[in-house]
Amino acid sequence: MARWWVCGLLSLLAVAAAAAEGSAEPLIRLPTQDEHDAAPAPAPSAEEGVTRWAVLGAPPATRTTVTSFGSSCRVSVCSLQQRVISLLVSAMCGADVCHAYQILKRGGLKEENIVVFMYDDIAQDPQNLRRGVIINHPKGKDVYAGVPKDYTGDQVTTENFFAVLMGNKTAVTGGSRKVINSKPNDHIFIYYADHGGAGSLGMPNNPWLYADDFIKVLREKHASKSYSKMVIYVEACESGSMFEGIMPQDLNIYVTTAANAVESSWGTYCPGWNPPPPHEYLTCLGDVYSVSWMEDSETHNLKKEAIKDQYEAVKKRTSSSNNLTGSHVMEYGDKTFKDEKLFLYQGFDPANVNNTNRLPLPSLEGAINQRDADILFMWKRYEQLNAGSEEKVQVLKKIKETVAHRKHLDSSIDFIGKLVFGFEKGPSVLEAPRSSGQPVVDDWDCLKRMVRVFESHCGSLTQYGMKHMRAFANLCNNGVSEAEMKEASVGACGGYNSGKWSPLVLGHSA
């Protein structure tokens, strides 16, 4: 999908709101207030006076569907003498990440405690007719202004994400070198939005982020005794597979995902749907799950709304009565602290102090599968260009190349299944989901080897090909060896010229 990493790109924002004991500001001001007209912050409670951290991530403009022009889009803690740390990662939608940053900033989190990972290729893109501006809602204001650029471009990697989360500055490559230096009493909020596949989350720079590696880092973070509680929001296709059957319940971490382990998540505010983006926008502005939790946070008093309340509200808005354009929001991990108020993880905006928490969110009448967002953009652009122009010819060429490679991936995986499991059984074996409560694969190293073998002979999977990750997992679950996979890949893809989709150009996804 398109790679808009402010609407689709991996951003990490580490945000600190109230600092440790004695360093909290007497007032929390809105961006439009000065020291004379700022409203006084509510009296501190036993849950305030802590530093909040946030990490935000978004993918490049050519990855997803959100507020991008030629691409597609998709931690905090408050407690007495604690810091609130927010980790927000969006590899699909830079607009989502920038929007999340603005919410945390208005909530009182300090910029020095916000770490942002984003590809940063949307705002200044020549196809962005509102140069320097990014929006996440059809009538929304600019969410790009003021967003720190801690890690951008080729600095947005799985390795840097893990290093930042662990507070390991020496392991960081490039960027601001800002990391999450959380303490034992701190709370952490992570928001991650990108493309996804079974057991994997996308990154603008390969390799992808795999579930076993993520859980390992979360275990290490817990073992380091550097936080009290953590809340994680994940926007991605099949995002439930990152935690299904593998997420421990004893790490003091609560997780919600945009989709279950086997279904897509969806882009919204797209051309041709209701409500549509402004007429000059040719792509989607956000993702259903992401805009749902953020618009909920913006219209509610987070000192009164509990974690479980937002989960239920987002779950209802993200689902669809006909199950054609909706997904099932899921929850994993430690569910014992869902009664805690959201301000402990996202901060508190004084402008919402009088909100009754009964404000209904408008329904989203249209959505598009995230994997199709980049194709939607290219078609909309093609339709607008002048007939016979060289630019129109080049856009059509790009569409044909993209579609051709997608068809190649689909047919190659299908053929490999038939070669390994037989003509009749092949497709069903590759696509079969495991029982609820089981991880997508037992041998994660095998999964990564299968991906590398396939890409070496058949070309890069790309974000679209993440839809086939379950097939690679099932090859492993059925005992297929690396040698057998190589033989099948050569048989399916022998002689194929992967060209710009070669892993020698893009790197391996595993």
Side-chain angles (χ1 to χ4, degrees):
M1 315 204 88
R3 299 180 97 172
W4 286 91
W5 281 69
V6 163
C7 193
L9 138 62
L10 180 63
S11 305
L12 285 112
L13 303 165
V15 182
E21 181 179 14
S23 62
E25 294 183 350
L27 299 177
I28 298 180
R29 299 185 179 91
L30 297 176
T32 55
Q33 294 176 314
D34 59 29
E35 61 183 359
H36 301 295
D37 62 7
S45 70
E47 299 294 342
E48 299 184 72
V50 306
T51 300
R52 297 171 177 79
W53 291 84
V55 178
L56 303 166
T62 56
R63 285 253 170 175
T64 42
T65 345
V66 182
T67 300
S68 46
F69 303 83
S71 67
S72 51
C73 307
R74 260 128 300 253
V75 193
S76 53
V77 178
C78 272
S79 171
L80 182 61
Q81 297 181 4
Q82 300 174 335
R83 296 184 303 172
V84 178
I85 303 173
S86 299
L87 173 56
L88 312 178
V89 180
S90 173
M92 300 187 320
C93 179
D96 286 344
V97 166
C98 290
H99 190 180
Y101 168 81
Q102 302 299 344
I103 291 172
L104 296 177
K105 192 77 168 107
R106 289 196 299 269
L109 281 69
K110 294 181 179 179
E111 186 170 319
E112 64 257 31
N113 291 320
I114 302 178
V115 181
V116 182
F117 280 70
M118 65 180 180
Y119 208 76
D120 197 27
D121 60 344
I122 302 175
Q124 302 302 329
D125 190 280
Q127 296 175 56
N128 182 356
L129 299 183
R130 298 186 186 181
R131 193 66 61 86
V133 171
I134 295 175
I135 62 174
N136 198 214
H137 185 277
K139 297 182 180 179
K141 297 180 180 179
D142 178 27
V143 296
Y144 183 66
V147 177
K149 303 175 183 178
D150 294 300
Y151 300 93
T152 61
D154 60 8
Q155 300 159 1
V156 184
T157 64
T158 297
E159 292 80 1
N160 273 350
F161 170 65
F162 286 158
V164 168
L165 176 56
M166 290 299 298
N168 187 355
K169 185 174 293 188
T170 60
V172 170
T173 302
S176 68
R177 302 186 65 78
K178 192 187 298 181
V179 297
I180 302 298
N181 291 314
S182 52
K183 307 301 180 185
N185 290 330
D186 292 348
H187 290 185
I188 297 176
F189 171 67
I190 298 179
Y191 166 56
Y192 193 113
D194 202 323
H195 290 289
S200 58
L201 294 174
M203 274 280 174
N205 302 289
N206 287 332
W208 298 332
L209 189 158
Y210 286 83
D212 65 319
D213 296 323
F214 192 23
I215 300 301
K216 178 182 178 181
V217 169
L218 292 178
R219 286 184 180 277
E220 292 174 355
K221 186 70 174 177
H222 181 262
S224 70
K225 302 184 185 302
S226 57
Y227 70 93
S228 173
K229 296 174 184 176
M230 186 184 301
V231 171
I232 302 176
Y233 287 3
V234 180
E235 167 78 70
C237 293
E238 302 176 82
S239 43
S241 66
M242 289 292 295
F243 307 98
E244 182 80 26
I246 191 175
M247 180 66 199
Q249 298 181 14
D250 60 354
L251 302 183
N252 297 336
I253 299 176
Y254 172 75
V255 180
T256 78
T257 61
N260 63 26
V262 299
E263 65 188 356
S264 297
S265 60
W266 298 79
T268 189
Y269 302 142
C270 305
W273 295 102
N274 187 29
H279 66 88
E280 69 270 30
Y281 284 74
L282 305 181
T283 187
C284 305
L285 300 181
D287 298 296
V288 177
Y289 168 86
S290 294
V291 302
S292 293
W293 80 256
M294 287 187 280
E295 291 175 10
D296 179 84
S297 291
E298 288 181 312
T299 55
H300 289 75
N301 182 340
L302 300 190
K303 286 197 170 183
K304 295 182 179 180
E305 184 176 21
I307 296 171
K308 66 178 182 181
D309 297 329
Q310 184 161 89
Y311 167 73
E312 292 297 337
V314 173
K315 181 178 181 180
K316 180 178 180 180
R317 195 184 190 202
T318 304
S319 66
S320 171
S321 59
N322 58 20
N323 291 324
L324 295 178
T325 59
S327 59
H328 298 83
V329 175
M330 304 296 289
E331 57 182 351
Y332 303 92
D334 185 350
K335 305 174 187 177
T336 63
F337 58 93
K338 294 196 305 180
D339 287 330
E340 289 190 358
K341 305 306 179 186
L342 279 167
F343 84 96
L344 299 177
Y345 300 87
Q346 298 178 21
F348 171 71
D349 184 349
N352 294 332
V353 68
N354 294 320
N355 286 358
T356 63
N357 284 9
R358 295 181 181 177
L359 299 175
L361 291 171
S363 62
L364 299 171
E365 299 179 12
I368 185 172
N369 188 309
Q370 285 182 352
R371 304 193 199 282
D372 295 327
D374 57 341
I375 294 293
L376 172 66
F377 168 79
M378 287 189 283
W379 272 116
K380 290 296 181 181
R381 187 179 173 210
Y382 175 79
E383 291 169 357
Q384 284 195 354
L385 292 172
N386 294 327
S389 68
E390 178 60 25
E391 188 175 10
K392 191 173 184 110
V393 171
Q394 291 303 315
V395 170
L396 180 59
K397 178 183 177 182
K398 184 176 181 180
I399 292 173
K400 293 169 67 176
E401 290 176 345
T402 301
V403 171
H405 187 64
R406 290 186 174 194
K407 289 182 177 180
H408 161 72
L409 292 174
D410 293 342
S411 61
S412 298
I413 295 293
D414 179 73
F415 196 50
I416 287 172
K418 292 174 180 176
L419 288 173
V420 175
F421 300 114
F423 184 84
E424 295 182 353
K425 293 176 57 179
S428 61
V429 173
L430 293 185
E431 296 170 6
R434 303 187 86 181
S435 301
S436 177
Q438 284 190 293
V440 66
V441 68
D442 296 320
D443 186 342
W444 291 91
D445 290 334
C446 173
L447 173 63
K448 296 166 190 174
R449 289 195 300 271
M450 292 296 175
V451 170
R452 291 183 65 88
V453 169
F454 175 84
E455 290 189 324
S456 295
H457 298 280
C458 303
S460 174
L461 283 169
T462 70
Q463 60 80 20
Y464 170 80
M466 296 183 85
K467 64 184 287 186
H468 295 300
M469 287 301 295
R470 189 170 308 280
F472 298 117
N474 284 335
L475 287 165
C476 294
N477 294 334
N478 283 276
V480 176
S481 69
E482 185 174 349
E484 290 174 306
M485 178 60 177
K486 179 178 179 180
E487 181 180 359
S489 296
V490 171
C493 304
Y496 177 71
N497 181 8
S498 55
K500 65 180 181 180
W501 282 286
S502 168
L504 297 178
V505 177
L506 300 178
H508 282 91
S509 302

